[in-house]
Amino acid sequence: MSGEQVMALDAYAAYHGTAGRYAGPTLSMAKAAQADLKLTASQALVEANSLCQKGGLTPANRRHLASLFVAAAEPFSATVQWMRLAPAERIAADGVSPALVKTLNSFAGLRNEIVSMAARVAADVGLERLYGAGDHLSDVASPSSEAMKAVVAAEPGLTDLFNHNTPEFRAVPEEAMKLAAASEIMSVFKWKNSLRFGRLDADAQCQSMLRSDKAGRTGRQWVAAWEAQNLRMAVAIREATAPIAGGRALLIVGAAHKPYVEAYLRTFADVELVSVPAMLEAKPAGCAE
C-alpha cells in the first residue's frame, strides 16, 4: 500500500479496522520517525518529494531522505535510498536513528518481490522511490470471512478451485511449484504470468462465484469488492506513471490481481502493456537465460 493509504486506514481505524493488520511494521516505523522529525506523514512526503527533485544528492541527503520516507509510511522507498548508499554511509545520522539503521539494514536484506526486484531495480537504474499500489480500502465492502468460508464449503468444487487443485492448474508439475531449485523458477514465473493462468484464476475466484447457485449475494458482494480493489490498484498505477509519460514502469502485483489490473489498464489512454512471457522469450543480447 501507499503510505497515504496506510495512514488513512489508521486514521479511520474505527471504520476499516487496524492498519497494523496489513502494515504493522510500516505504521510503527512511521510513527517513530514522525516523532523524531517532528513532522506528520504528509509533511514528510512533501519534503521527501521536494528533495527527490533536487538531483545530485549527497550521502547526507540520502540518509535524510530515507528518514522522511519512513515517516511518510514509505519504508520501501527508504530502502531504495539505503541501497543507493555505500555500505560505509549507512550510519545513524541526518535523521536516521541507530534503531532505524538496524531496521533499514533488515529491510534491505529481505528476500521478497518488493526488495529483491522493485527496490533493487530502482536503486540500480537510479530511481529515487517506489510507488505502492496495493489496496485495502475496499476490504470494507467485502463479506465477512465466516460468510465466505460457508459459501465456499457449501458449493462442491469451489474449495479445489480456490486452491488451484484442479488438472487445469497443473501445467507446471506440483513439485516444481515448491521452487526448491533455482532452475524451477523461470517455468513457474512464466506460467503465473501467462494469459491462460490469468483466465483460469479469474474463473476460479470470480466467475465461479457468479455461477454458483449457493454463493448468492455473498458471492456477488465478494466479486464486487475484488473488482473495486483491483480498479483502485490500476488507478494508483496510472497516477504514479503520469509524470513519466512515454517512459517505462515495472509493475509488480500478485498473480491473482494481474488479469484484473491489466484489463483495467487497457482501458486507459496512452498505456501499452508488455507481456512478461513474451519479454522473457525475447532473450535480449547479453542475457544468459
Side-chain angles (χ1 to χ4, degrees), residues 1-24 26-27 31 41 73 134-141 229 232:
M1 290 182 290
S2 68
E4 184 177 354
Q5 185 168 126
V6 170
M7 300 310 300
L9 286 170
D10 187 53
Y12 279 76
Y15 182 60
H16 286 285
T18 172
R21 177 181 169 192
Y22 316 106
T26 294
L27 193 57
K31 290 184 175 181
D135 172 71
H136 281 291
L137 287 175
S138 302
D139 288 9
V140 73
Q229 181 184 36
R232 275 201 173 96

Side-chain angles (χ1 to χ4, degrees), residues 1 33 40 61 111 113 118 170 182 195-196 253 282 284:
M1 290 182 290
T40 66
N61 291 150
R111 294 177 61 83
E113 68 278 12
R170 297 190 188 117
L195 184 62
R196 176 160 176 74
V253 299

Side-chain angles (χ1 to χ4, degrees), residues 64-124:
H64 184 52
L65 191 48
S67 70
L68 289 170
F69 276 132
V70 170
E74 296 280 355
F76 293 106
S77 290
T79 302
V80 172
Q81 291 301 319
W82 210 241
M83 286 178 163
R84 293 194 63 178
L85 286 168
E89 297 286 0
R90 298 171 188 173
I91 59 175
D94 307 298
V96 177
S97 67
L100 187 52
V101 169
K102 292 182 180 179
T103 302
L104 287 172
N105 284 336
S106 175
F107 264 60
L110 291 174
R111 294 177 61 83
N112 61 35
E113 68 278 12
I114 304 177
V115 174
S116 301
M117 294 173 66
R120 184 71 271 164
V121 169
D124 286 351

Side-chain angles (χ1 to χ4, degrees), residues 232-249:
R232 275 201 173 96
M233 291 172 66
V235 169
I237 291 166
R238 190 65 181 107
E239 183 178 341
T241 56
I244 58 164
R248 298 181 299 171

Side-chain angles (χ1 to χ4, degrees), residues 79-278:
T79 302
V80 172
Q81 291 301 319
W82 210 241
M83 286 178 163
R84 293 194 63 178
L85 286 168
E89 297 286 0
R90 298 171 188 173
I91 59 175
D94 307 298
V96 177
S97 67
L100 187 52
V101 169
K102 292 182 180 179
T103 302
L104 287 172
N105 284 336
S106 175
F107 264 60
L110 291 174
R111 294 177 61 83
N112 61 35
E113 68 278 12
I114 304 177
V115 174
S116 301
M117 294 173 66
R120 184 71 271 164
V121 169
D124 286 351
V125 302
L127 300 179
E128 303 295 359
R129 62 166 300 185
L130 307 178
Y131 290 86
D135 172 71
H136 281 291
L137 287 175
S138 302
D139 288 9
V140 73
S142 295
S144 69
S145 58
E146 292 77 13
M148 277 298 295
K149 286 178 183 177
V151 162
V152 172
E155 181 69 51
L158 265 187
T159 299
D160 283 340
L161 271 178
F162 266 51
N163 293 329
H164 295 175
N165 187 28
T166 66
E168 291 81 5
F169 276 108
R170 297 190 188 117
V172 173
E174 188 175 350
E175 280 302 307
M177 295 293 283
K178 295 177 182 178
L179 300 179
S183 60
E184 296 169 342
I185 292 174
M186 194 58 73
S187 61
V188 174
F189 194 61
K190 289 179 180 179
W191 168 234
K192 288 293 186 78
N193 279 278
S194 69
L195 184 62
R196 176 160 176 74
F197 180 89
R199 287 173 173 167
L200 286 171
D201 195 47
D203 179 79
Q205 295 206 57
C206 288
Q207 297 305 314
S208 63
M209 301 297 288
L210 298 179
R211 287 195 303 268
S212 169
D213 291 332
K214 296 182 175 63
R217 181 170 290 178
T218 298
R220 294 170 74 174
Q221 182 183 353
W222 188 90
V223 171
W226 178 246
E227 289 183 330
Q229 181 184 36
N230 286 284
L231 183 55
R232 275 201 173 96
M233 291 172 66
V235 169
I237 291 166
R238 190 65 181 107
E239 183 178 341
T241 56
I244 58 164
R248 298 181 299 171
L250 172 63
L251 314 180
I252 301 175
V253 299
H257 295 284
K258 186 174 186 287
Y260 290 87
V261 172
E262 285 189 341
Y264 294 137
L265 288 173
R266 286 193 181 97
T267 68
F268 298 149
D270 202 28
V271 172
E272 177 187 357
L273 298 181
V274 178
S275 161
V276 170

